[in-house]
Amino acid sequence: YAGVANVSPASVSNGVTSRQASGTTLAAIDADVGFAMQAFASAELHTPAAVWIMTPGQAITLSLIRNTQGYPAFPTIGMEGGTWYGLPVITSNNVVSNGSPGEQQVFLVDQSEILLADDGQMNIDMSTEASLQMDGAPSAGAQSLVSMFQNGQVALKVDRWINWAKRRTAAVQYIEQTQRW
């Protein structure tokens, strides 16, 4: 997501070139992970602050991969996270694909390189007299409106100002999968 000035910040992966997953074998996974980790090392990033970010489904899939002896290839990862290649894993259902439905992404992020601006400021407005269009995707023109006054309801609007940005582009690496590992 590229962001909109004074509305919402860009995603931390904006402007980062992804690495297409090279396959589903252990050797291919090793190569893809090695590429992301080498990019960190080349940029001299602070690896103790690095984490993997992926969906719980991806973590489950990785936990089920077996090596040639039949043992789990990644025994320290699961649906709730864990570690993968020696780094902590954060699982989130908010890791969304940017292409086809089967496409997934695994991120390697140096948390110390993500700058956050949060004054803790909020603006809360309340109205018992507003009329609202009750729609998740409102449109212009004549619409059916709900009167807060006529229905004995209260409308609350909360605005919070927060912003973030990467200090360096290399602080985020990601592997884009067009197929599941």
Side-chain angles (χ1 to χ4, degrees):
Y1 176 69
V4 177
N6 300 319
V7 175
S8 61
S11 68
V12 294
S13 62
N14 184 50
V16 177
T17 303
S18 68
R19 169 163 173 100
Q20 287 294 325
S22 55
T24 59
T25 65
L26 269 177
I29 294 170
D30 280 343
D32 297 336
V33 168
F35 180 86
M37 294 177 106
Q38 188 58 46
F40 261 42
S42 296
E44 297 180 5
L45 290 167
H46 187 66
T47 54
V51 295
W52 293 102
I53 302 174
M54 64 184 73
T55 65
Q58 288 169 299
I60 290 168
T61 300
L62 289 170
S63 74
L64 296 173
I65 294 175
R66 303 288 183 220
N67 62 22
T68 55
Q69 289 81 32
Y71 296 108
F74 308 110
T76 59
I77 190 172
M79 188 163 106
E80 297 294 322
T83 59
W84 192 46
Y85 287 90
L87 297 173
V89 174
I90 297 172
T91 58
S92 171
N93 285 319
N94 292 316
V95 178
V96 295
S97 65
N98 64 357
S100 65
E103 182 179 285
Q104 296 187 342
Q105 298 159 343
V106 174
F107 294 87
L108 179 59
V109 178
D110 181 349
Q111 299 173 93
S112 67
E113 292 285 320
I114 307 299
L115 306 175
L116 177 70
D118 181 8
D119 293 337
Q121 179 183 0
M122 281 198 268
N123 186 27
I124 302 174
D125 292 322
M126 178 189 88
S127 176
T128 58
E129 300 164 0
S131 292
L132 303 176
Q133 183 181 351
M134 300 289 202
D135 192 336
S139 55
Q143 302 295 321
S144 175
L145 300 176
V146 175
S147 168
M148 298 293 106
F149 174 75
Q150 289 177 333
N151 290 294
Q153 296 175 334
V154 175
L156 295 174
K157 180 178 102 175
V158 179
D159 291 319
R160 181 168 184 211
W161 295 272
I162 188 170
N163 204 345
W164 57 82
K166 294 183 299 289
R167 192 174 92 158
R168 294 189 278 175
T169 302
V172 176
Q173 300 293 319
Y174 73 97
I175 303 164
E176 197 159 1
Q177 303 170 266
T178 54
Q179 61 209 3
R180 283 189 168 271
W181 277 333

